[in-house]
Structure formats: structure tokens, C-alpha cells
Amino acid sequence: MKNLIKQIFSISNNEQFEETCLEVFKHQVENCSVYKAYISHLKVQPEGIKFAKEIPFLPISFFKTHEVLSSKDPVEITFSSSGTTGMSQSKHLVTDLSVYDQSFTLAFEQFYSSIENTCFLALLPSYLERGGSSLIYMVDALIRDSKHPDSGYFLHNHEELHQKLTALQASGQKTILIGVTYALLDFIEKYPINFPELVVMETGGMKGKRKEMVREELHQLLQEGFGVADIHSEYGMTELLGQAYSKGSGIFNCPPWMKIYLRDTNDPLSLVENKSTGGINMIDLSNVNSCSFIATQDLGRLFPDGSFEVLGRFDNADIRGCNLLVQ
């Protein structure tokens, strides 16, 4: 397993991705009882799968009703979705936290350079006020590994955050502000700032605190409120250990061990290749100990270079986490 994990995080081209996908698929069919049963129900013969795009994608809802595991090791932590009152939560059982650590560290450094000496400020009240958030686990690690004395969380102490941002700007410190959407809006309504060098990363969702907004309107408000040219975003979810990042315009890119496919909205078992929009199917090979092949409840647009845009969610899908901004 250690060799497979090393292989996952060493992928540098499509040929290696395809090869590793097939190895992870074989491992998960053999070791994940839920996925094996699902494949069997579809009457898919695993030995007949020759390409990544032929691999069946497990509906993400299985994480609400089953223990999705491909490892017999003890569970180190259980990440859970925020959910909505009365709705069941997704649970991601993680048997090896070091894989998650590698995934978010390597991805972050690929898109944003070194974690160390970057100042991370986090405005994530709704996440901090509940347990089981994989985002909080990641931000905890970024704050710790930054080794910067000013890195830290802010709940509702917006005046203190404004003073901190002003001081960091004056010192020329590289700074990243990670915030839940509604909290970022609350902040700039009282404390607008002009900090062009600041990276503002919104994690999506109003959490019922404000009405949902189209992305363009939201990002325009945030750009004006922080004095920045672009708003960055993170696309991740409880059921994944990988994240995609957007540096503006809502266009996301994946690290080498993740890849997006689109499925037909009318035929969920078929991929669409001649259309640019559909349901998002995600391959996240860092999910090696659960399931790496997931049919999400998000709708997306895929571009020729592999980047993608999130357009919203399927009807009747519960709203939570991720980037849920409807066009």
C-alpha cells in the first residue's frame, strides 16, 4: 500500500494517471465491500475495465448510508458533512491521515508555493462551531505549518481581523485569508480594505445566513471590499481527500491525482464527451482507502484543458459544504 500511495503522489502525466487509476480500481474492488457490491449490481466485469473513463463511479450518497472503506486498518478520524437540520450527514472514515496530509500539502504548494512563512488567516465561524470538518483539519495544519506568529482563526472579531490585515499589508507579508462566503461579506460590510496583494479564498456556501448569490455578483462584491483583482476558491468535500483550486473566475484546476469527468444528466451511467456540461464525476486517487471514483451531486462545465466550473447542484440535492454557487 505504501508503494501505491507513493505512486499516487508521483503522478506527472496522463499515462501514469491511467495506470495508477487501474491499480487503485483493482484494489478498491477487492477491498471495498460497498463498491464491490455496487459494481456487481451494475453487472460490470472489473477485468474488462481498461481505461479510467470506463471505471464506474459510486454515487456520493453512499457515504450517508454505508461505511465506504477499502482498508482494514483502524479508523483514525471520521469527517462529517455539515448537512441541514433533519438531513443525514455524509461520513468519511479515514484510516490513514498521512494520506490526507500529503494530498492537501502537495496540492496547496503546487498552486500557491511554500506553506512555510505564509500567513494564514481563517474566517470560518460555521465550520469551527461544529465538529468533524475536514476543512478545519486542513486549515489547522496550514496554520501550524506556516510557522507564522500571526496565523490563526477569527470568529466574529472582525475589528481584530481588520487590524491584523492592515499590519500585514504594511509589513509586506504574503497573506492568505480563507473564509466562508457569508462571513467574508459580513466582514467587508463593516471593514472594507484595499489590500491588492491579499489572496482571498472563499470556501463557498451561505450556510443559511444570507440568500445565495450568483458567483459573478458575489465575487464582484468581495473584490471591491478587499481591493483585490480576483477571488480564489477551493473545491473540496467531506467525501474527498483532494482539493481543486480556482485563482479567479470560478475556474478550477485539479492536482495530478484528481480528474473530472462529466456524466449525462439523463443517463447517470454514461459519460458525455461531446458536450461541455453535465454531472461532475470525480476521480480522487488520494481516496485510496475509501473510494476514489465518486459521482457527485454537482453540475459542472468541463474545458478542453481539464479545468472545470461548478454550475450548481442537481434538484433535490441537499445543500452543504463545497462551492454551491448557482450561475
Side-chain angles (χ1 to χ4, degrees), residues 185-206:
L185 289 171
D186 288 348
F187 173 75
I188 60 171
E189 282 182 355
K190 287 189 176 179
Y191 297 99
I193 189 170
N194 185 38
F195 191 167
E197 302 81 14
L198 178 67
V199 172
V200 179
M201 184 180 296
E202 54 97 1
T203 64
M206 293 296 189

Side-chain angles (χ1 to χ4, degrees), residues 6 24 43 53 75 81 121 129 156 171 191 217 233 266:
K6 183 178 180 180
V24 171
K43 297 183 169 51
K53 65 181 181 181
V75 174
S81 62
L121 307 179
E129 289 161 357
H156 306 289
S171 67
Y191 297 99
E217 180 186 3
S233 303
N266 297 312

Side-chain angles (χ1 to χ4, degrees), residues 50-243:
K50 303 300 181 186
F51 301 97
K53 65 181 181 181
E54 298 173 344
I55 295 173
F57 290 83
L58 185 74
I60 201 167
S61 57
F62 275 75
F63 282 82
K64 292 183 176 183
T65 55
H66 296 76
E67 292 189 349
V68 184
L69 277 171
S70 297
S71 171
K72 293 181 173 57
D73 292 336
V75 174
E76 291 187 5
I77 195 169
T78 299
F79 293 130
S80 59
S81 62
S82 55
T84 305
T85 304
M87 292 187 175
S88 57
Q89 290 179 301
S90 285
K91 294 190 181 298
H92 189 172
L93 309 180
V94 180
T95 58
D96 187 350
L97 270 170
S98 71
V99 177
Y100 186 35
D101 292 338
Q102 286 185 77
S103 183
F104 67 70
T105 299
L106 291 171
F108 194 92
E109 292 192 336
Q110 174 185 325
F111 290 107
Y112 292 99
S113 73
S114 175
I115 292 171
E116 190 170 349
N117 299 321
T118 298
C119 182
F120 290 91
L121 307 179
L123 189 59
L124 299 165
S126 52
Y127 289 94
L128 282 172
E129 289 161 357
R130 71 173 184 87
S133 167
S134 56
L135 177 64
I136 292 298
Y137 179 93
M138 180 180 81
V139 174
D140 280 346
L142 293 175
I143 288 172
R144 179 193 68 234
D145 295 344
S146 75
K147 299 180 181 177
H148 194 284
D150 288 323
S151 291
Y153 287 98
F154 296 82
L155 270 170
H156 306 289
N157 44 338
H158 290 173
E159 183 178 0
E160 183 184 345
L161 174 57
H162 183 262
Q163 291 170 352
K164 184 76 70 180
L165 285 169
T166 301
L168 289 165
Q169 181 181 15
S171 67
Q173 171 63 45
K174 180 180 177 182
T175 304
I176 297 178
L177 172 62
I178 304 174
V180 64
T181 307
Y182 78 84
L184 292 172
L185 289 171
D186 288 348
F187 173 75
I188 60 171
E189 282 182 355
K190 287 189 176 179
Y191 297 99
I193 189 170
N194 185 38
F195 191 167
E197 302 81 14
L198 178 67
V199 172
V200 179
M201 184 180 296
E202 54 97 1
T203 64
M206 293 296 189
K207 309 297 181 188
K209 306 285 188 180
R210 288 171 171 256
K211 69 178 181 65
E212 295 292 332
M213 301 168 64
V214 295
R215 189 197 67 239
E216 289 85 354
E217 180 186 3
L218 168 66
H219 282 199
Q220 184 65 33
L221 286 173
L222 293 175
Q223 285 168 236
E224 292 172 358
F226 286 102
V228 295
D230 295 291
I231 299 299
H232 298 225
S233 303
E234 178 255 5
Y235 181 80
M237 55 189 74
T238 299
E239 301 86 354
L240 303 177
L241 293 184
Q243 301 82 31

